[in-house]
Amino acid sequence: EIVLTQSPATLSLSPGERATLSCRASQSVSNYLAWYQQKPGQAPRLLIYDASNRATGIPARFSGSGSGTDFTLTISSLEPEDFAVYYCQQRINWPPYTFGQGTKLEIK
Amino acid sequence: EVQLVESGGGLVQPGGSLRLSCAASGFTFSSHWMSWVRQAPGKGLEWVANIQQDGSGKYYVDSVKGRFTTSRDNAKNSMYLQMNSLRAEDTALYYCAREQTGMGFDQWGQGTLVTVSS
């Protein structure tokens, strides 16, 4: 089973700042990595697939990068609605699909 | 508009059973793998099971193998999760999610809550 480790667990930033979230895989997942956003009381939403492709309707301030074992989700300039929990997920080696434990992005 | 609506959750005693349903609309249900993903209270996401388009392939996370069974009825645009021998650690919000080839889980329901407690 591939283990995904996200860091930091919590990130405290202000609107307008740049956010950088990390996801590290226990073995290579090539570029088969997705990022999801989850707001309180809501279902997760797909943001990024295949490491760097934005899903439909996702604003350009969200970008993903990386390959192999190290991945980054960057939010270039935080909007108030971006404060949420973010999860990475791999789909190269399943079952099981696995998720990271999440990074909570909170308002400073 | 794509919609996934889960139902069937509730309070059940340890060792009991529940059957969850996921009703899909707004897309060609029979063209997609479908998954169940759960989230324990205050915790992260855990993939539970999935099922192939025609129901021939089914896969499970180890912790539910032998206890949970997923199925689907493409004529009814519905997926199901039969959960037996429930344990306290199965307590979670259960989401159904559409798998989009080459992408991941691109559509999610709002979830149905399963609570296993005496």
mmCIF file of all heavy atoms in Angstrom, chain B residues 1 18 49 58 74 87 94-95 104:
data_model
loop_
_atom_site.group_PDB
_atom_site.id
_atom_site.type_symbol
_atom_site.label_atom_id
_atom_site.label_comp_id
_atom_site.label_asym_id
_atom_site.label_seq_id
_atom_site.Cartn_x
_atom_site.Cartn_y
_atom_site.Cartn_z
ATOM 1 N N GLU B 1 -27.142 18.193 -14.886
ATOM 2 C CA GLU B 1 -26.285 18.330 -13.714
ATOM 3 C C GLU B 1 -26.058 16.958 -13.074
ATOM 4 O O GLU B 1 -27.001 16.219 -12.820
ATOM 5 C CB GLU B 1 -26.929 19.263 -12.684
ATOM 6 C CG GLU B 1 -26.114 19.432 -11.404
ATOM 7 C CD GLU B 1 -26.924 20.088 -10.297
ATOM 8 O OE1 GLU B 1 -28.128 20.329 -10.479
ATOM 9 O OE2 GLU B 1 -26.325 20.351 -9.235
ATOM 10 N N LEU B 18 -26.182 -2.882 7.635
ATOM 11 C CA LEU B 18 -26.838 -1.762 6.966
ATOM 12 C C LEU B 18 -26.595 -1.888 5.475
ATOM 13 O O LEU B 18 -25.569 -2.449 5.059
ATOM 14 C CB LEU B 18 -26.275 -0.408 7.432
ATOM 15 C CG LEU B 18 -26.840 0.274 8.667
ATOM 16 C CD1 LEU B 18 -26.113 1.586 8.901
ATOM 17 C CD2 LEU B 18 -28.336 0.497 8.560
ATOM 18 N N ALA B 49 -14.267 0.915 -1.235
ATOM 19 C CA ALA B 49 -14.545 -0.104 -2.235
ATOM 20 C C ALA B 49 -14.865 0.560 -3.561
ATOM 21 O O ALA B 49 -15.225 1.746 -3.602
ATOM 22 C CB ALA B 49 -15.737 -0.977 -1.805
ATOM 23 N N LYS B 58 -14.832 -5.924 -8.510
ATOM 24 C CA LYS B 58 -15.111 -5.254 -7.240
ATOM 25 C C LYS B 58 -13.862 -5.350 -6.375
ATOM 26 O O LYS B 58 -13.248 -6.423 -6.298
ATOM 27 C CB LYS B 58 -16.280 -5.926 -6.508
ATOM 28 C CG LYS B 58 -17.561 -6.020 -7.315
ATOM 29 C CD LYS B 58 -18.621 -6.814 -6.575
ATOM 30 C CE LYS B 58 -19.850 -7.032 -7.449
ATOM 31 N NZ LYS B 58 -20.925 -7.747 -6.733
ATOM 32 N N ASN B 74 -27.382 -0.948 -13.032
ATOM 33 C CA ASN B 74 -27.278 0.109 -14.037
ATOM 34 C C ASN B 74 -28.642 0.522 -14.579
ATOM 35 O O ASN B 74 -28.818 1.656 -15.015
ATOM 36 C CB ASN B 74 -26.360 -0.324 -15.171
ATOM 37 C CG ASN B 74 -24.896 -0.339 -14.747
ATOM 38 O OD1 ASN B 74 -24.504 0.295 -13.769
ATOM 39 N ND2 ASN B 74 -24.066 -1.078 -15.481
ATOM 40 N N ARG B 87 -18.566 -2.694 12.931
ATOM 41 C CA ARG B 87 -17.745 -2.432 14.107
ATOM 42 C C ARG B 87 -17.773 -0.934 14.421
ATOM 43 O O ARG B 87 -18.101 -0.116 13.555
ATOM 44 C CB ARG B 87 -16.301 -2.850 13.827
ATOM 45 C CG ARG B 87 -16.121 -4.276 13.362
ATOM 46 C CD ARG B 87 -14.724 -4.504 12.810
ATOM 47 N NE ARG B 87 -14.525 -5.881 12.369
ATOM 48 C CZ ARG B 87 -13.492 -6.276 11.632
ATOM 49 N NH1 ARG B 87 -12.556 -5.395 11.268
ATOM 50 N NH2 ARG B 87 -13.389 -7.545 11.289
ATOM 51 N N TYR B 94 -20.266 8.137 4.819
ATOM 52 C CA TYR B 94 -19.950 7.347 3.636
ATOM 53 C C TYR B 94 -20.372 8.118 2.392
ATOM 54 O O TYR B 94 -21.549 8.451 2.228
ATOM 55 C CB TYR B 94 -20.652 5.989 3.687
ATOM 56 C CG TYR B 94 -19.979 5.026 4.635
ATOM 57 C CD1 TYR B 94 -20.108 5.190 6.012
ATOM 58 C CD2 TYR B 94 -19.215 3.962 4.164
ATOM 59 C CE1 TYR B 94 -19.474 4.329 6.897
ATOM 60 C CE2 TYR B 94 -18.578 3.092 5.040
ATOM 61 C CZ TYR B 94 -18.716 3.289 6.397
ATOM 62 O OH TYR B 94 -18.082 2.425 7.269
ATOM 63 N N TYR B 95 -19.379 8.388 1.544
ATOM 64 C CA TYR B 95 -19.628 9.078 0.280
ATOM 65 C C TYR B 95 -19.611 8.079 -0.874
ATOM 66 O O TYR B 95 -18.780 7.151 -0.877
ATOM 67 C CB TYR B 95 -18.522 10.086 -0.012
ATOM 68 C CG TYR B 95 -18.418 11.263 0.911
ATOM 69 C CD1 TYR B 95 -17.442 11.311 1.909
ATOM 70 C CD2 TYR B 95 -19.255 12.364 0.770
ATOM 71 C CE1 TYR B 95 -17.308 12.414 2.742
ATOM 72 C CE2 TYR B 95 -19.131 13.474 1.595
ATOM 73 C CZ TYR B 95 -18.158 13.483 2.570
ATOM 74 O OH TYR B 95 -18.028 14.588 3.388
ATOM 75 N N GLY B 104 -9.463 10.743 -11.389
ATOM 76 C CA GLY B 104 -9.701 10.520 -9.968
ATOM 77 C C GLY B 104 -11.186 10.589 -9.698
ATOM 78 O O GLY B 104 -12.006 10.295 -10.552
#
